[in-house]
Amino acid sequence: MEQKQMYKNLGISEEVYEFGEKILRNLEGRFQEIDKISEYNQLKVIKAMQDNRVGEAHFAATTGYGYNDMGRETLEKIYADCFHTEAALVRPQITCGTHALAVALSANLRPGDELLSPVGKPYDTLEEVIGIRDSIGSLKEYGVTYAQVDLLEDGGFDYEGIRNAINERTKLVTIQRSKGYQTRPTLSVERIGELITFIKQIKPDIICMVDNCYGEFVEEREPSDVGADMIVGSLIKNPGGGLAPIGGYICGTKQCVEQCAYRLSAPGLGQEVGANLGILPAFYQGFFLAPTVVAGALKGAIFAANLYETLGFSVVPNGTESRHDIIQAVTFGTPEGVIAFCKGIQAAAPVDSYVTPEPWDMPGYDAPVIMAAGAFVQGSSIELSADGPIKPPYAVYFQGGLTWYHAKLGILMSLQKLIEEGIVTL
Ligand SMILES: *Cc1c(COP(=O)(O)O)cnc(C)c1O
C-alpha cells in the first residue's frame, strides 16, 4: 500500500500529507545535524556504561531499605560520568521534575539565604515551591527569600541587574534552560556558561543550579560542562528515554548531591537507602535510548515549526534557529486553535486516541490547561504531547515523540484538525 494511503487510513487527507512532504523536503540538512549530535551522545552513554562495567547483576530488584544496591549506585555513576559531574542522585523516589527541583533547592538553602533567578520567572510549579505564590511548605515559609531579575526585552541577560541583585545572602542561583510555558528563547548551553561565569566572578561560592528539563541530549554539552554545580531533571522527560515510568535526577558536585540525598531521605541516611523495586532495567535502557529518542522529538519540533511558520503562525523557536530543548511553541491567538491542535495530537496517539482532551484546573498551574497525551506513561512528555494554558497569547507547547514517525503523524493530525475546524485553510 502506498504511504499516502496509510496516512489516509489514519485520518490524514491527501492535501495535508502533500503539504507536509513539501515542508520536509527542505529539512534534510537539519535532520542530518540532529542525527550527528544524537550519535555523539549515544557514544557518550555507551562509554559511561562500559566504563562502569554494567552487567546483568545491576538490573536486580532490591527491597526494604535498599542497602548496598549495586544497580542503583552504578546507574548514578553512569549519570555522573555522562554529565561530567562528581556525583548523581537518580531515583524512583524522586516523583517528578518539580520534586527533584524542590529537593535540590530546599537541600541547599537554609533560613536566611536568598535564592536568585537571573532569567526571569521560573516554571509555573516552582512558584509554589519557592513561595512566589503562597503555598504550604514553600521555601518562603522556611525563611528563604527570593529575588528575580528578568531577561532584557531582546532576551539577553540583564548583567547590571544581576550584579545589583547579588548580595551577601545570595546562596543559590536557579537557571531554567528551557522556555517552559513562556515564549522567551531557550538558553543554549553556551549562554548558560556565560551567565554562570559572570555570576561566579561576582561571588564564587554561589551554587549555580540549572533546571535542565527538556534539555538533556539536545546538544553535545550539558550545563554541567560549563560550570553548573547542579543540573536537575525528570526521568519522564528526555533522560528516561520513554521507558522510565517515574523518577528524577540531580547531578552535580559531591557536596550539593550529598545535601540533596539527606534531604530526599533523612539526615543520617542520605544516599545509602532507597530500594529500586525492580525498576532499574527501565532506567538503564531508557538512558541508553534517550539520545535517539531526543533526536526524534527534535525532528518533530523542527517539522512543526516549519509547517506552522509557513502557515503564518508565530513559532518559538522559528523554523531555522538552532535548538536547545525539545519544546516547540506555536501561538494560535485563540483558545479554539490551541484546543484543535491538542485534539490532533491526541487523535494520533497509540494510547487513548479515542478520547477528547478538555481544559482543566491542574494542580500547580494558575490557568486551565489543556493537555494532549496518549502516553504509555501518565503525563510523560518525552512521549508525543502538547499542552497549553488557556490564557493569552494562546500558545500551545508541543514536545516529544518516542519516534520521529509518530511525531510526524501527530503534527499532520494537528493540522488536519485545524483545517476541519475551519481555523486554517491550505
Ligand atoms: C517539566 C518541567 C518542570 C517540572 O517537571 P514535572 O515533572 O512536570 O514536575 C520544571 N521545569 C521545567 C523547565 C520543565 O519543563
Short mmCIF file of all heavy atoms in Angstrom, two decimals, residues 101 104-105 115-123 126 130 146-147 149 151 157 159 162 166 172-180 182 184-200 206-213 215 223-224 226-233 249:
data_model
loop_
_atom_site.label_atom_id
_atom_site.label_comp_id
_atom_site.label_asym_id
_atom_site.label_seq_id
_atom_site.Cartn_x
_atom_site.Cartn_y
_atom_site.Cartn_z
N LEU A 101 13.56 19.38 41.66
CA LEU A 101 13.97 20.78 41.84
C LEU A 101 13.73 21.24 43.28
O LEU A 101 14.57 21.94 43.86
CB LEU A 101 13.21 21.68 40.85
CG LEU A 101 13.65 21.50 39.39
CD1 LEU A 101 12.55 21.95 38.43
CD2 LEU A 101 14.94 22.27 39.13
N ALA A 104 16.46 19.77 45.38
CA ALA A 104 17.74 20.45 45.13
C ALA A 104 17.78 21.82 45.81
O ALA A 104 18.79 22.20 46.39
CB ALA A 104 17.99 20.59 43.63
N LEU A 105 16.68 22.53 45.75
CA LEU A 105 16.63 23.88 46.35
C LEU A 105 16.61 23.79 47.87
O LEU A 105 17.43 24.40 48.56
CB LEU A 105 15.40 24.64 45.86
CG LEU A 105 15.40 25.05 44.38
CD1 LEU A 105 14.03 25.62 43.99
CD2 LEU A 105 16.50 26.08 44.10
N LEU A 115 17.50 33.04 47.32
CA LEU A 115 17.54 32.35 46.03
C LEU A 115 17.34 33.40 44.94
O LEU A 115 16.49 34.28 45.07
CB LEU A 115 16.40 31.32 45.99
CG LEU A 115 16.01 30.71 44.64
CD1 LEU A 115 17.13 29.82 44.11
CD2 LEU A 115 14.72 29.90 44.79
N LEU A 116 18.14 33.30 43.88
CA LEU A 116 18.01 34.29 42.79
C LEU A 116 17.75 33.58 41.46
O LEU A 116 18.43 32.61 41.12
CB LEU A 116 19.33 35.09 42.68
CG LEU A 116 19.49 35.98 41.44
CD1 LEU A 116 18.50 37.14 41.46
CD2 LEU A 116 20.93 36.52 41.34
N SER A 117 16.75 34.07 40.75
CA SER A 117 16.57 33.64 39.36
C SER A 117 16.96 34.79 38.45
O SER A 117 16.26 35.81 38.39
CB SER A 117 15.13 33.22 39.06
OG SER A 117 14.99 33.03 37.65
N PRO A 118 18.08 34.66 37.72
CA PRO A 118 18.53 35.76 36.86
C PRO A 118 17.96 35.66 35.45
O PRO A 118 18.36 36.42 34.57
CB PRO A 118 20.05 35.55 36.84
CG PRO A 118 20.22 34.07 36.98
CD PRO A 118 19.04 33.55 37.75
N VAL A 119 17.01 34.75 35.25
CA VAL A 119 16.47 34.52 33.89
C VAL A 119 14.95 34.67 33.88
O VAL A 119 14.26 34.06 33.08
CB VAL A 119 16.87 33.13 33.35
CG1 VAL A 119 18.38 33.04 33.17
CG2 VAL A 119 16.40 32.00 34.26
N GLY A 120 14.45 35.50 34.78
CA GLY A 120 13.01 35.76 34.83
C GLY A 120 12.26 34.70 35.61
O GLY A 120 12.85 33.89 36.32
N LYS A 121 10.96 34.75 35.44
CA LYS A 121 10.05 33.88 36.18
C LYS A 121 10.34 32.40 35.92
O LYS A 121 10.48 32.00 34.78
CB LYS A 121 8.63 34.21 35.70
CG LYS A 121 7.52 33.57 36.48
CD LYS A 121 6.17 33.97 35.85
CE LYS A 121 5.58 32.91 34.93
NZ LYS A 121 5.42 31.57 35.50
N PRO A 122 10.43 31.61 36.99
CA PRO A 122 10.67 30.18 36.77
C PRO A 122 9.39 29.45 36.36
O PRO A 122 8.30 30.03 36.37
CB PRO A 122 11.15 29.70 38.14
CG PRO A 122 10.52 30.61 39.11
CD PRO A 122 10.35 31.94 38.42
N TYR A 123 9.55 28.21 36.03
CA TYR A 123 8.45 27.32 35.64
C TYR A 123 7.29 27.39 36.64
O TYR A 123 7.52 27.51 37.85
CB TYR A 123 9.00 25.89 35.59
CG TYR A 123 8.13 24.88 34.91
CD1 TYR A 123 8.03 24.86 33.52
CD2 TYR A 123 7.42 23.93 35.65
CE1 TYR A 123 7.23 23.92 32.89
CE2 TYR A 123 6.64 22.98 35.03
CZ TYR A 123 6.54 22.98 33.64
OH TYR A 123 5.75 22.04 33.03
N LEU A 126 7.20 25.82 40.10
CA LEU A 126 8.22 26.28 41.05
C LEU A 126 7.76 27.50 41.83
O LEU A 126 8.31 27.82 42.88
CB LEU A 126 9.53 26.57 40.33
CG LEU A 126 10.36 25.36 39.95
CD1 LEU A 126 11.75 25.80 39.53
CD2 LEU A 126 10.47 24.37 41.09
N ILE A 130 8.87 27.83 45.65
CA ILE A 130 9.62 28.99 46.16
C ILE A 130 8.78 29.82 47.11
O ILE A 130 9.28 30.37 48.10
CB ILE A 130 10.10 29.86 44.96
CG1 ILE A 130 11.10 29.06 44.10
CG2 ILE A 130 10.72 31.16 45.43
CD1 ILE A 130 11.39 29.69 42.74
N TYR A 146 13.45 35.27 48.01
CA TYR A 146 13.60 35.04 46.57
C TYR A 146 13.77 36.38 45.85
O TYR A 146 13.05 37.34 46.14
CB TYR A 146 12.37 34.32 46.05
CG TYR A 146 12.29 34.21 44.53
CD1 TYR A 146 13.16 33.38 43.84
CD2 TYR A 146 11.36 34.95 43.80
CE1 TYR A 146 13.10 33.28 42.45
CE2 TYR A 146 11.29 34.85 42.41
CZ TYR A 146 12.16 34.01 41.75
OH TYR A 146 12.10 33.91 40.38
N ALA A 147 14.70 36.42 44.94
CA ALA A 147 14.87 37.61 44.09
C ALA A 147 14.89 37.17 42.64
O ALA A 147 15.29 36.04 42.32
CB ALA A 147 16.18 38.31 44.44
N VAL A 149 15.58 38.56 38.49
CA VAL A 149 15.96 39.57 37.50
C VAL A 149 15.46 39.07 36.16
O VAL A 149 15.81 37.95 35.73
CB VAL A 149 17.50 39.77 37.47
CG1 VAL A 149 17.88 40.78 36.40
CG2 VAL A 149 18.00 40.22 38.84
N LEU A 151 14.83 38.79 32.07
CA LEU A 151 15.64 38.93 30.86
C LEU A 151 15.33 40.28 30.23
O LEU A 151 14.25 40.85 30.44
CB LEU A 151 15.31 37.81 29.87
CG LEU A 151 15.69 36.39 30.32
CD1 LEU A 151 15.14 35.36 29.34
CD2 LEU A 151 17.21 36.23 30.43
N PHE A 157 20.73 38.73 28.89
CA PHE A 157 20.82 38.79 30.35
C PHE A 157 20.97 40.23 30.79
O PHE A 157 21.71 41.00 30.17
CB PHE A 157 22.03 37.98 30.85
CG PHE A 157 21.98 36.53 30.49
CD1 PHE A 157 23.04 35.93 29.81
CD2 PHE A 157 20.87 35.75 30.80
CE1 PHE A 157 23.00 34.59 29.47
CE2 PHE A 157 20.83 34.41 30.47
CZ PHE A 157 21.89 33.82 29.79
N TYR A 159 22.81 41.98 32.88
CA TYR A 159 24.00 41.82 33.72
C TYR A 159 24.06 42.84 34.86
O TYR A 159 24.42 42.50 35.98
CB TYR A 159 25.26 41.89 32.85
CG TYR A 159 25.50 40.63 32.04
CD1 TYR A 159 25.47 40.65 30.65
CD2 TYR A 159 25.77 39.42 32.68
CE1 TYR A 159 25.70 39.49 29.91
CE2 TYR A 159 26.00 38.26 31.95
CZ TYR A 159 25.96 38.30 30.57
OH TYR A 159 26.19 37.16 29.85
N ILE A 162 21.59 41.85 37.47
CA ILE A 162 22.04 40.66 38.19
C ILE A 162 23.11 41.04 39.22
O ILE A 162 23.07 40.62 40.37
CB ILE A 162 22.56 39.58 37.21
CG1 ILE A 162 21.42 39.09 36.31
CG2 ILE A 162 23.19 38.41 37.96
CD1 ILE A 162 21.86 38.26 35.11
N ILE A 166 22.70 40.48 43.45
CA ILE A 166 23.51 39.56 44.26
C ILE A 166 23.97 40.25 45.53
O ILE A 166 24.56 41.33 45.47
CB ILE A 166 24.71 39.02 43.43
CG1 ILE A 166 24.19 38.14 42.29
CG2 ILE A 166 25.69 38.25 44.33
CD1 ILE A 166 25.27 37.66 41.33
N LEU A 172 22.11 30.69 46.23
CA LEU A 172 21.90 29.77 45.12
C LEU A 172 21.22 30.51 43.97
O LEU A 172 20.33 31.32 44.21
CB LEU A 172 21.02 28.60 45.61
CG LEU A 172 20.93 27.33 44.77
CD1 LEU A 172 20.63 26.13 45.66
CD2 LEU A 172 19.90 27.42 43.67
N VAL A 173 21.67 30.22 42.77
CA VAL A 173 21.08 30.82 41.58
C VAL A 173 20.41 29.71 40.78
O VAL A 173 21.01 28.65 40.58
CB VAL A 173 22.16 31.53 40.75
CG1 VAL A 173 21.70 31.77 39.33
CG2 VAL A 173 22.56 32.85 41.39
N THR A 174 19.16 29.92 40.40
CA THR A 174 18.47 28.91 39.60
C THR A 174 18.31 29.41 38.17
O THR A 174 17.82 30.51 37.93
CB THR A 174 17.11 28.51 40.22
OG1 THR A 174 16.46 27.59 39.36
CG2 THR A 174 16.19 29.71 40.45
N ILE A 175 18.77 28.60 37.25
CA ILE A 175 18.75 28.98 35.83
C ILE A 175 17.93 27.94 35.08
O ILE A 175 18.27 26.76 35.06
CB ILE A 175 20.18 29.02 35.26
CG1 ILE A 175 21.03 30.05 36.02
CG2 ILE A 175 20.16 29.34 33.76
CD1 ILE A 175 22.52 29.93 35.73
N GLN A 176 16.84 28.38 34.50
CA GLN A 176 15.99 27.45 33.75
C GLN A 176 16.43 27.45 32.29
O GLN A 176 16.39 28.48 31.63
CB GLN A 176 14.53 27.88 33.88
CG GLN A 176 13.56 26.92 33.24
CD GLN A 176 12.13 27.38 33.45
OE1 GLN A 176 11.70 27.65 34.56
NE2 GLN A 176 11.40 27.50 32.36
N ARG A 177 16.85 26.28 31.82
CA ARG A 177 17.36 26.17 30.46
C ARG A 177 16.24 26.34 29.43
O ARG A 177 16.35 27.09 28.47
CB ARG A 177 18.02 24.79 30.31
CG ARG A 177 18.58 24.49 28.93
CD ARG A 177 19.34 23.18 28.97
NE ARG A 177 19.87 22.76 27.69
CZ ARG A 177 20.58 21.65 27.51
NH1 ARG A 177 20.84 20.85 28.54
NH2 ARG A 177 21.03 21.32 26.31
N SER A 178 15.16 25.62 29.69
CA SER A 178 14.07 25.58 28.73
C SER A 178 13.13 26.76 28.90
O SER A 178 13.06 27.36 29.97
CB SER A 178 13.31 24.28 28.94
OG SER A 178 12.11 24.30 28.21
N LYS A 179 12.38 27.06 27.88
CA LYS A 179 11.45 28.19 27.97
C LYS A 179 10.26 27.89 28.87
O LYS A 179 9.63 28.79 29.39
CB LYS A 179 10.96 28.59 26.57
CG LYS A 179 10.02 27.56 25.92
CD LYS A 179 9.58 27.98 24.52
CE LYS A 179 10.66 27.75 23.49
NZ LYS A 179 11.13 26.35 23.35
N GLY A 180 9.93 26.61 29.07
CA GLY A 180 8.73 26.28 29.84
C GLY A 180 7.50 26.85 29.16
O GLY A 180 7.41 26.85 27.94
N GLN A 182 6.62 29.75 28.45
CA GLN A 182 6.83 31.14 28.06
C GLN A 182 7.28 31.15 26.62
O GLN A 182 7.66 30.13 26.07
CB GLN A 182 7.90 31.79 28.94
CG GLN A 182 7.48 31.94 30.39
CD GLN A 182 8.65 32.33 31.28
OE1 GLN A 182 9.20 33.40 31.17
NE2 GLN A 182 9.04 31.42 32.14
N ARG A 184 9.82 33.07 25.64
CA ARG A 184 11.21 33.53 25.55
C ARG A 184 12.05 32.43 24.90
O ARG A 184 11.66 31.27 24.90
CB ARG A 184 11.74 33.85 26.94
CG ARG A 184 11.94 32.61 27.84
CD ARG A 184 13.20 32.74 28.65
NE ARG A 184 13.29 31.87 29.80
CZ ARG A 184 14.11 30.80 29.87
NH1 ARG A 184 14.82 30.44 28.82
NH2 ARG A 184 14.17 30.10 30.98
N PRO A 185 13.21 32.80 24.35
CA PRO A 185 14.04 31.73 23.79
C PRO A 185 14.61 30.82 24.87
O PRO A 185 14.82 31.27 26.00
CB PRO A 185 15.17 32.48 23.07
CG PRO A 185 15.03 33.91 23.40
CD PRO A 185 13.81 34.13 24.23
N THR A 186 14.83 29.58 24.52
CA THR A 186 15.52 28.65 25.41
C THR A 186 16.99 29.02 25.43
O THR A 186 17.54 29.50 24.44
CB THR A 186 15.30 27.22 24.90
OG1 THR A 186 13.96 26.86 25.21
CG2 THR A 186 16.24 26.22 25.56
N LEU A 187 17.63 28.80 26.57
CA LEU A 187 19.04 29.16 26.69
C LEU A 187 19.93 28.04 26.15
O LEU A 187 19.72 26.88 26.47
CB LEU A 187 19.38 29.42 28.15
CG LEU A 187 18.57 30.52 28.85
CD1 LEU A 187 18.95 30.59 30.32
CD2 LEU A 187 18.79 31.86 28.18
N SER A 188 20.88 28.42 25.34
CA SER A 188 21.86 27.43 24.89
C SER A 188 22.80 27.13 26.03
O SER A 188 22.95 27.93 26.97
CB SER A 188 22.65 27.97 23.70
OG SER A 188 23.43 29.07 24.11
N VAL A 189 23.49 26.00 25.94
CA VAL A 189 24.48 25.65 26.96
C VAL A 189 25.57 26.73 27.00
O VAL A 189 26.03 27.12 28.07
CB VAL A 189 25.08 24.25 26.69
CG1 VAL A 189 26.27 23.98 27.59
CG2 VAL A 189 24.00 23.18 26.88
N GLU A 190 25.91 27.24 25.84
CA GLU A 190 26.95 28.27 25.78
C GLU A 190 26.53 29.52 26.57
O GLU A 190 27.31 30.06 27.37
CB GLU A 190 27.21 28.64 24.32
CG GLU A 190 28.41 29.55 24.17
CD GLU A 190 28.70 29.89 22.72
OE1 GLU A 190 28.06 29.30 21.82
OE2 GLU A 190 29.54 30.77 22.51
N ARG A 191 25.29 29.95 26.38
CA ARG A 191 24.82 31.14 27.10
C ARG A 191 24.72 30.88 28.60
O ARG A 191 25.01 31.77 29.40
CB ARG A 191 23.46 31.59 26.55
CG ARG A 191 23.56 32.21 25.16
CD ARG A 191 22.24 32.90 24.77
NE ARG A 191 21.97 34.06 25.59
CZ ARG A 191 20.74 34.50 25.87
NH1 ARG A 191 19.68 33.85 25.43
NH2 ARG A 191 20.58 35.57 26.61
N ILE A 192 24.31 29.69 28.96
CA ILE A 192 24.25 29.34 30.39
C ILE A 192 25.66 29.44 30.98
O ILE A 192 25.86 29.96 32.07
CB ILE A 192 23.66 27.93 30.58
CG1 ILE A 192 22.17 27.94 30.23
CG2 ILE A 192 23.87 27.44 32.02
CD1 ILE A 192 21.51 26.57 30.19
N GLY A 193 26.64 28.98 30.21
CA GLY A 193 28.04 29.05 30.65
C GLY A 193 28.48 30.49 30.87
O GLY A 193 29.16 30.81 31.86
N GLU A 194 28.11 31.37 29.96
CA GLU A 194 28.47 32.79 30.10
C GLU A 194 27.86 33.38 31.36
O GLU A 194 28.52 34.12 32.10
CB GLU A 194 27.98 33.58 28.87
CG GLU A 194 28.81 33.32 27.61
CD GLU A 194 28.09 33.75 26.34
OE1 GLU A 194 27.06 34.45 26.42
OE2 GLU A 194 28.56 33.36 25.25
N LEU A 195 26.62 33.04 31.60
CA LEU A 195 25.91 33.56 32.78
C LEU A 195 26.56 33.06 34.06
O LEU A 195 26.79 33.83 35.01
CB LEU A 195 24.43 33.15 32.70
CG LEU A 195 23.54 33.61 33.85
CD1 LEU A 195 23.54 35.13 33.98
CD2 LEU A 195 22.10 33.11 33.64
N ILE A 196 26.88 31.77 34.10
CA ILE A 196 27.50 31.19 35.30
C ILE A 196 28.85 31.84 35.56
O ILE A 196 29.19 32.19 36.70
CB ILE A 196 27.61 29.65 35.18
CG1 ILE A 196 26.21 29.02 35.20
CG2 ILE A 196 28.48 29.08 36.30
CD1 ILE A 196 26.18 27.53 34.93
N THR A 197 29.64 32.01 34.50
CA THR A 197 30.96 32.64 34.65
C THR A 197 30.81 34.04 35.25
O THR A 197 31.54 34.42 36.18
CB THR A 197 31.66 32.73 33.28
OG1 THR A 197 31.73 31.41 32.74
CG2 THR A 197 33.05 33.31 33.39
N PHE A 198 29.84 34.78 34.74
CA PHE A 198 29.60 36.15 35.25
C PHE A 198 29.25 36.12 36.73
O PHE A 198 29.80 36.88 37.53
CB PHE A 198 28.48 36.79 34.43
CG PHE A 198 28.09 38.16 34.91
CD1 PHE A 198 28.87 39.27 34.62
CD2 PHE A 198 26.93 38.33 35.67
CE1 PHE A 198 28.50 40.54 35.08
CE2 PHE A 198 26.56 39.59 36.13
CZ PHE A 198 27.35 40.70 35.84
N ILE A 199 28.35 35.23 37.09
CA ILE A 199 27.88 35.15 38.48
C ILE A 199 29.01 34.73 39.42
O ILE A 199 29.19 35.30 40.50
CB ILE A 199 26.67 34.19 38.58
CG1 ILE A 199 25.44 34.86 37.93
CG2 ILE A 199 26.37 33.80 40.02
CD1 ILE A 199 24.31 33.92 37.64
N LYS A 200 29.79 33.75 38.98
CA LYS A 200 30.89 33.26 39.84
C LYS A 200 31.99 34.31 40.00
O LYS A 200 32.72 34.28 41.00
CB LYS A 200 31.48 31.96 39.26
CG LYS A 200 30.48 30.80 39.20
CD LYS A 200 30.66 29.84 40.35
CE LYS A 200 29.78 28.62 40.16
NZ LYS A 200 29.73 27.76 41.34
N ILE A 206 28.60 31.05 45.14
CA ILE A 206 27.18 30.85 44.83
C ILE A 206 27.00 29.50 44.13
O ILE A 206 27.78 29.15 43.25
CB ILE A 206 26.65 31.98 43.90
CG1 ILE A 206 26.51 33.29 44.67
CG2 ILE A 206 25.30 31.59 43.28
CD1 ILE A 206 25.87 34.40 43.88
N ILE A 207 26.00 28.77 44.56
CA ILE A 207 25.68 27.50 43.91
C ILE A 207 24.84 27.79 42.67
O ILE A 207 23.79 28.44 42.76
CB ILE A 207 24.89 26.57 44.86
CG1 ILE A 207 25.73 26.22 46.09
CG2 ILE A 207 24.43 25.32 44.13
CD1 ILE A 207 24.93 25.57 47.22
N CYS A 208 25.30 27.37 41.51
CA CYS A 208 24.54 27.58 40.28
C CYS A 208 23.82 26.28 39.91
O CYS A 208 24.45 25.27 39.60
CB CYS A 208 25.45 28.03 39.15
SG CYS A 208 26.08 29.69 39.38
N MET A 209 22.49 26.33 39.98
CA MET A 209 21.68 25.16 39.65
C MET A 209 20.98 25.41 38.31
O MET A 209 20.48 26.50 38.08
CB MET A 209 20.62 24.95 40.74
CG MET A 209 19.74 23.74 40.49
SD MET A 209 18.29 23.68 41.57
CE MET A 209 17.12 24.64 40.61
N VAL A 210 20.97 24.41 37.46
CA VAL A 210 20.24 24.54 36.20
C VAL A 210 19.07 23.56 36.17
O VAL A 210 19.25 22.36 36.39
CB VAL A 210 21.16 24.32 34.98
CG1 VAL A 210 20.36 24.35 33.69
CG2 VAL A 210 22.26 25.38 34.95
N ASP A 211 17.88 24.11 35.95
CA ASP A 211 16.71 23.28 35.67
C ASP A 211 16.90 22.80 34.22
O ASP A 211 16.72 23.56 33.29
CB ASP A 211 15.45 24.13 35.83
CG ASP A 211 14.19 23.38 35.41
OD1 ASP A 211 14.30 22.28 34.84
OD2 ASP A 211 13.09 23.92 35.65
N ASN A 212 17.29 21.54 34.11
CA ASN A 212 17.70 21.00 32.80
C ASN A 212 16.56 20.29 32.07
O ASN A 212 16.79 19.63 31.05
CB ASN A 212 18.87 20.03 33.01
CG ASN A 212 19.79 19.92 31.82
OD1 ASN A 212 19.89 20.84 31.01
ND2 ASN A 212 20.45 18.78 31.67
N CYS A 213 15.34 20.40 32.59
CA CYS A 213 14.19 19.71 32.00
C CYS A 213 14.08 20.00 30.50
O CYS A 213 14.13 21.16 30.10
CB CYS A 213 12.90 20.16 32.68
SG CYS A 213 12.63 19.38 34.28
N GLY A 215 16.15 19.55 28.23
CA GLY A 215 17.37 19.94 27.54
C GLY A 215 18.35 18.80 27.30
O GLY A 215 19.21 18.89 26.42
N PRO A 223 24.76 21.69 30.76
CA PRO A 223 25.17 22.83 31.59
C PRO A 223 26.25 22.49 32.61
O PRO A 223 27.03 23.35 33.01
CB PRO A 223 23.86 23.23 32.30
CG PRO A 223 22.78 22.78 31.36
CD PRO A 223 23.30 21.52 30.75
N SER A 224 26.33 21.21 33.00
CA SER A 224 27.39 20.79 33.94
C SER A 224 28.76 20.85 33.28
O SER A 224 29.78 20.82 33.98
CB SER A 224 27.10 19.37 34.43
OG SER A 224 26.68 18.55 33.37
N VAL A 226 29.71 23.46 31.67
CA VAL A 226 30.07 24.88 31.62
C VAL A 226 29.91 25.55 32.98
O VAL A 226 29.62 26.74 33.06
CB VAL A 226 29.24 25.64 30.54
CG1 VAL A 226 29.59 25.16 29.15
CG2 VAL A 226 27.73 25.51 30.80
N GLY A 227 30.08 24.77 34.04
CA GLY A 227 30.18 25.38 35.36
C GLY A 227 29.01 25.20 36.30
O GLY A 227 29.09 25.63 37.45
N ALA A 228 27.91 24.58 35.85
CA ALA A 228 26.78 24.40 36.76
C ALA A 228 27.17 23.47 37.90
O ALA A 228 27.81 22.44 37.67
CB ALA A 228 25.57 23.84 36.01
N ASP A 229 26.78 23.82 39.11
CA ASP A 229 27.07 22.98 40.28
C ASP A 229 26.06 21.85 40.40
O ASP A 229 26.34 20.82 41.01
CB ASP A 229 27.04 23.82 41.56
CG ASP A 229 28.08 24.92 41.52
OD1 ASP A 229 29.28 24.59 41.54
OD2 ASP A 229 27.70 26.11 41.43
N MET A 230 24.87 22.08 39.87
CA MET A 230 23.83 21.04 39.87
C MET A 230 23.02 21.16 38.60
O MET A 230 22.66 22.27 38.19
CB MET A 230 22.84 21.26 41.04
CG MET A 230 23.24 20.68 42.36
SD MET A 230 21.84 20.74 43.52
CE MET A 230 21.70 22.49 43.84
N ILE A 231 22.70 20.03 37.99
CA ILE A 231 21.69 20.01 36.93
C ILE A 231 20.60 19.04 37.38
O ILE A 231 20.88 18.01 38.01
CB ILE A 231 22.26 19.63 35.54
CG1 ILE A 231 22.91 18.25 35.55
CG2 ILE A 231 23.25 20.68 35.07
CD1 ILE A 231 23.32 17.76 34.16
N VAL A 232 19.37 19.41 37.07
CA VAL A 232 18.23 18.72 37.65
C VAL A 232 17.19 18.45 36.57
O VAL A 232 16.95 19.30 35.72
CB VAL A 232 17.58 19.61 38.75
CG1 VAL A 232 16.41 18.89 39.42
CG2 VAL A 232 18.61 20.04 39.79
N GLY A 233 16.61 17.25 36.60
CA GLY A 233 15.59 16.97 35.59
C GLY A 233 14.71 15.79 35.94
O GLY A 233 14.87 15.15 36.98
N TYR A 249 16.39 13.15 38.52
CA TYR A 249 17.83 13.09 38.79
C TYR A 249 18.35 14.45 39.22
O TYR A 249 17.78 15.49 38.87
CB TYR A 249 18.60 12.61 37.54
CG TYR A 249 18.77 13.68 36.48
CD1 TYR A 249 19.85 14.55 36.52
CD2 TYR A 249 17.83 13.85 35.47
CE1 TYR A 249 19.99 15.56 35.58
CE2 TYR A 249 17.97 14.85 34.52
CZ TYR A 249 19.05 15.70 34.58
OH TYR A 249 19.18 16.72 33.65
#
